[in-house]
Each structure stands twice: as C-alpha cells, then as structure tokens.
Amino acid sequence: AVANMGLALEYASDELRADRDVVLAATKNFGGALEYASDELQGCKDIVLEAVKNDVYAFNFASSNLHGDREVVLEVTKSDCEGLALLAATEEIRGDKDILLRSARQHQAVLSHYE
C-alpha cells in the first residue's frame, strides 16, 4: 500500500515504520512519509536521500546528524527553490560557500537567509 500511497505509513504499525523496505517504498512515493518512519530510519542516509529527492521538505524529518551531511544537503539544494529547507541544516553546512551558491542558483531569496 505504501508504494502507491506513501502517506499510508502514518497509519502503519511501529513494526512497519521500522521496516527498511517499507519505509523506502513509502518515501519513494511521498518524501514526507519520512516523518512517520522510525527514529532509526530517519537517520538512514539512503532513505533520507530518497525522501528529499521526492520532497525537499522531508529534510525537516531527517535525524539531526544528517543535517550536517554535505551529500544530503547538496541533494536538498537541487530542488529547494525557496531555500527554506536549508534552514534545518547545521550552521557549518549553511556556511559552506559551495552549498550557498548552489542554493542561490535555485532561488535568489536564499541569500536573504544568510545575511
């Protein structure tokens, strides 16, 4: 069910929310399903990467240890047209000139978050 409707993860049992394959299928369908994944899977880099490819705002549900992961944040910047998801990134990552420039290419308003 989650492969066709990722949001169904919200109503899944704790066991299914902790099942890697179930959560991966859900986040591929709807990135925001990451919100309902187990804490452990919210910290799983490959699942978070899939989620943010589908919905950049899923980054807000990723474990804080991934908010400082350059690869994850770079994936977020690819489609974050407002730059808002980067506000959840660590200060060190937000200070990364390459990430800031990539974000700015997506949307000029990003620069106002760093003034």
Side-chain angles (χ1 to χ4, degrees):
V2 295
N4 295 322
M5 189 172 155
L7 192 55
L9 191 62
E10 178 180 4
Y11 306 103
S13 67
D14 289 343
E15 182 179 335
L16 290 175
R17 290 177 184 209
D19 184 292
R20 188 181 193 305
D21 294 331
V22 170
V23 172
L24 189 58
T27 56
K28 282 184 177 182
N29 175 266
F30 174 64
L34 186 63
E35 177 179 5
Y36 305 106
S38 68
D39 290 344
E40 180 182 347
L41 293 180
Q42 287 176 343
C44 185
K45 186 174 178 174
D46 60 325
I47 289 176
V48 171
L49 282 169
E50 282 300 324
V52 300
K53 285 178 186 176
N54 190 293
D55 178 0
V56 296
Y57 297 104
F59 184 56
N60 294 311
F61 305 115
S63 294
S64 60
N65 65 312
L66 293 177
H67 290 197
D69 185 286
R70 194 168 195 282
E71 181 182 0
V72 172
V73 175
L74 282 172
E75 186 61 44
V76 171
T77 65
K78 288 181 182 178
S79 54
D80 183 13
C81 63
E82 296 176 7
L84 299 176
L86 283 181
L87 294 175
T90 62
E91 192 171 323
E92 179 182 342
I93 290 292
R94 289 193 317 254
D96 183 308
K97 194 173 193 174
D98 184 46
I99 290 175
L100 178 59
L101 290 173
R102 287 176 189 228
S103 295
R105 286 186 199 117
Q106 287 298 102
H107 196 280
Q108 289 296 319
V110 170
L111 296 175
S112 67
H113 295 296
Y114 299 93
E115 295 179 329

